Amino acid sequence: MNYVFTHVNLITGEEDRDVIEDMHVYVKDDKIVALEQGNSPVRDSYQTVDARGRYLMPGLINLHAHLFGTGKPSKTLGGGRQQKMVVSFASTRLGGHVLDKMLKENMEQALYSGVTTVRGVGDLFYSDVRLRDRIEKGTALGPRLLVSGPAVTVPGGHGDGTFAVTSADPAGIRQLVAQNAKHRVDLIKICVTGGVMDAKKKGEPGELKMSLEQTKAACEEAHRLGYKVASHTESPEGVIVALKGGVDTVEHGSLLDQEAVELFQERKSALICTLSPALPLASLPPSKTKLNELCVYNSRVILDNMVEGVKTALAHDIPVGLGTDASCPFATQYNMWRELWYFKTYAGVSNEFAVHTATLKNAQILGIDEITGSIAPGKSADLIVLKENPYKDLRALRSVDAVMVRGRLTDCPKVKKNEEIEAELDSLMKGL
Ligand SMILES: [Zn+2]
């Protein structure tokens, strides 16, 4: 199907580019083929979508998501017997079908919210690879997926028992990386440090789990096989080990000292900001978050250090990308727009820069900016149509009028939102 979106206000996704008024955007099959300004946009064989006065921009890219969860706070995956039961059920044939269905529904919600590319960074039993293949084949509708399969870490590392596989031996770690490659993943995810829920001490949320030797083993094998490496990293020490070990993206991040800044620059690594779970977990009452006092305290440490790290990175021209860490408590699959809003509010960037980051910058970090991330002839038709101008107010992204991925149009998509979570998240925006 070919479409022309007529008389739109165009936001290209490029940096420092104003809104271009009264544009016509032509889509042929799965590609954007032409941008024209002014009169006579009608062409035979193109279906017209009258978008006069509305805003057309690239679909959002979520650089950090786990595809299995809804963001509803739950104790099921917080360790213990219940977690073991759920994970062992997911490994069965029936459990696999249930898991596949969940992932498919979650990614539909992501798409309907305006997200046209998702990087999955840790899911169970290659369910993410299966869904990616179905979407590529066209038998399921969803965002473009780049997925890691299970994360790789050491015993007791972040995700051990759920979305990660483990080995303490560097040779074993190499084997786990090779095993993921064999399952045709798109990237390798490792967990150099622990997370908020793993911490045993106040102030130590990102305890170092992987040694430099173990980290190097994972990165060397991944790079040898042609993969980029993303690392869960939540402490200053962890950032140094991850970068020295050779990771391409530091996920979450922490305070960055001079050494960290230099390592980022030397290795051309990027920092991926994920404020979506950190902010509510640190700010909402424990009755809502179901966290104990230790976790609340450590969530605050993570949040404050992540914000500082992002500011330092931006000040030193280190690439900063955005992701939601969807599946974490309060991080739904459909609230990427909030990550932009948090980024603007906490890192102090402009709305324009937040939009650029969530589109073209994120595509550059993924290495797919030739394919998607901006509105330009030759790129994949991954776009959204909005009623209002997101440069004026990012809340314009809260719901989209239309979303198109690879030329497939969904008009007036309806997202099934969890109203309770929405109300809590909205309360965090008050007074800011
Ligand atoms: Zn994560």
Side-chain angles (χ1 to χ4, degrees):
M1 194 72 145
N2 304 331
Y3 296 93
V4 52
F5 295 85
T6 59
H7 302 289
V8 293
N9 299 307
L10 178 65
I11 291 173
T12 65
E14 291 154 301
E15 198 174 359
D16 298 327
R17 215 39 216 276
D18 287 335
V19 175
I20 314 169
E21 288 172 15
D22 202 25
M23 293 292 287
H24 316 299
V25 178
Y26 291 85
V27 172
K28 188 166 191 286
D29 302 322
D30 60 340
K31 294 236 165 39
I32 297 162
V33 288
L35 307 177
E36 284 173 9
Q37 197 164 29
N39 289 327
S40 65
V42 188
R43 277 191 199 172
D44 298 339
S45 79
Y46 282 82
Q47 186 176 325
T48 302
V49 181
D50 183 0
R52 190 179 297 268
R54 292 190 283 172
Y55 293 79
L56 186 147
M57 61 171 271
L60 300 175
I61 298 177
N62 185 350
L63 277 194
H64 190 120
H66 307 271
L67 314 186
F68 60 84
T70 61
K72 198 167 169 239
S74 138
K75 285 208 159 147
T76 314
L77 291 180
R81 228 169 61 110
Q82 231 183 337
Q83 171 176 301
K84 269 207 185 107
M85 279 166 58
V86 169
V87 174
S88 102
F89 173 64
S91 74
T92 64
R93 210 181 139 87
L94 178 61
H97 286 308
V98 174
L99 195 58
D100 285 351
K101 193 163 168 278
M102 278 163 57
L103 264 73
K104 182 174 173 281
E105 282 169 9
N106 289 343
M107 285 305 97
E108 277 168 7
Q109 297 303 309
L111 179 70
Y112 295 164
S113 76
V115 174
T116 52
T117 299
V118 174
R119 183 177 64 153
V121 285
D123 266 280
L124 297 162
F125 310 117
Y126 303 104
S127 49
D128 50 354
V129 175
R130 289 199 295 274
L131 180 60
R132 179 204 62 195
D133 288 349
R134 287 183 65 193
I135 290 173
E136 299 267 330
K137 266 195 228 135
T139 57
L141 182 65
R144 176 189 312 279
L145 295 184
L146 288 93
V147 296
S148 71
V152 174
T153 189
V154 292
H158 186 56
D160 183 4
T162 52
F163 63 84
V165 289
T166 68
S167 172
D169 172 23
I173 288 173
R174 284 175 192 271
Q175 267 171 22
L176 293 175
V177 170
Q179 183 178 300
N180 279 356
K182 230 176 162 179
H183 281 88
R184 299 177 301 105
V185 298
D186 299 293
L187 70 143
I188 299 297
K189 169 76 182 297
I190 64 173
C191 299
V192 168
T193 75
V196 172
M197 315 288 184
D198 315 324
K200 304 275 182 294
K201 269 191 230 154
K202 259 193 173 182
E204 269 188 22
E207 196 192 350
L208 192 65
K209 298 283 185 186
M210 290 176 75
S211 68
L212 182 56
E213 192 195 4
Q214 291 163 331
T215 307
K216 266 190 181 156
C219 293
E220 276 172 16
E221 184 65 4
H223 291 156
R224 193 180 71 79
L225 295 167
Y227 295 97
K228 287 194 182 192
V229 182
S231 168
H232 170 95
T233 316
E234 292 191 318
S235 67
E237 187 193 14
V239 171
I240 299 288
V241 170
L243 290 169
K244 280 189 174 164
V247 308
D248 300 283
T249 57
V250 170
E251 310 294 313
H252 320 301
S254 189
L255 299 174
L256 309 181
D257 61 10
Q258 190 56 34
E259 187 186 12
V261 167
E262 281 165 18
L263 284 166
F264 263 112
Q265 290 169 335
E266 220 171 87
R267 287 159 200 245
K268 301 195 168 30
S269 301
L271 176 65
I272 312 306
C273 170
T274 61
L275 295 169
S276 292
L279 186 67
L281 290 180
S283 314
L284 292 174
S287 59
K288 303 280 182 197
T289 59
K290 301 189 167 81
L291 293 188
N292 61 30
E293 196 214 335
L294 173 74
C295 285
V296 173
Y297 183 93
N298 283 337
S299 295
R300 174 55 61 179
V301 174
I302 297 255
L303 174 67
D304 292 347
N305 291 357
M306 197 190 295
V307 169
E308 274 315 303
V310 166
K311 284 184 183 166
T312 306
L314 290 171
H316 290 88
D317 280 329
I318 293 164
V320 174
L322 295 179
T324 59
D325 213 350
S327 293
C328 278
F330 294 98
T332 67
Q333 301 287 351
Y334 47 78
N335 270 323
M336 182 63 195
W337 75 272
R338 291 185 193 270
E339 189 65 33
L340 280 76
W341 196 86
Y342 299 147
F343 185 49
K344 158 221 149 87
T345 306
Y346 288 87
V349 304
S350 65
N351 290 341
E352 286 85 345
F353 189 77
V355 167
H356 164 66
T357 302
T359 55
L360 189 56
K361 176 63 86 179
N362 273 357
Q364 287 164 347
I365 290 170
L366 280 177
I368 57 168
D369 51 305
E370 298 282 309
I371 299 167
T372 189
S374 66
I375 304 297
K379 287 213 179 177
S380 177
D382 301 341
L383 56 86
I384 52 180
V385 178
L386 308 171
K387 272 195 188 65
E388 309 281 340
N389 183 356
Y391 282 1
K392 276 220 175 99
D393 189 334
L394 291 170
R395 280 172 288 193
L397 289 159
R398 192 173 182 132
S399 71
V400 304
D401 269 10
V403 58
M404 176 176 268
V405 62
R406 293 167 161 139
R408 283 177 78 172
L409 180 68
T410 306
D411 205 12
C412 304
K414 290 269 171 300
V415 180
K416 285 183 229 145
K417 296 190 180 182
N418 180 318
E419 291 309 328
E420 225 172 290
I421 292 179
E422 290 301 290
E424 294 301 335
L425 296 178
D426 285 347
S427 76
L428 297 173
M429 295 175 70
K430 282 201 187 110
L432 284 167

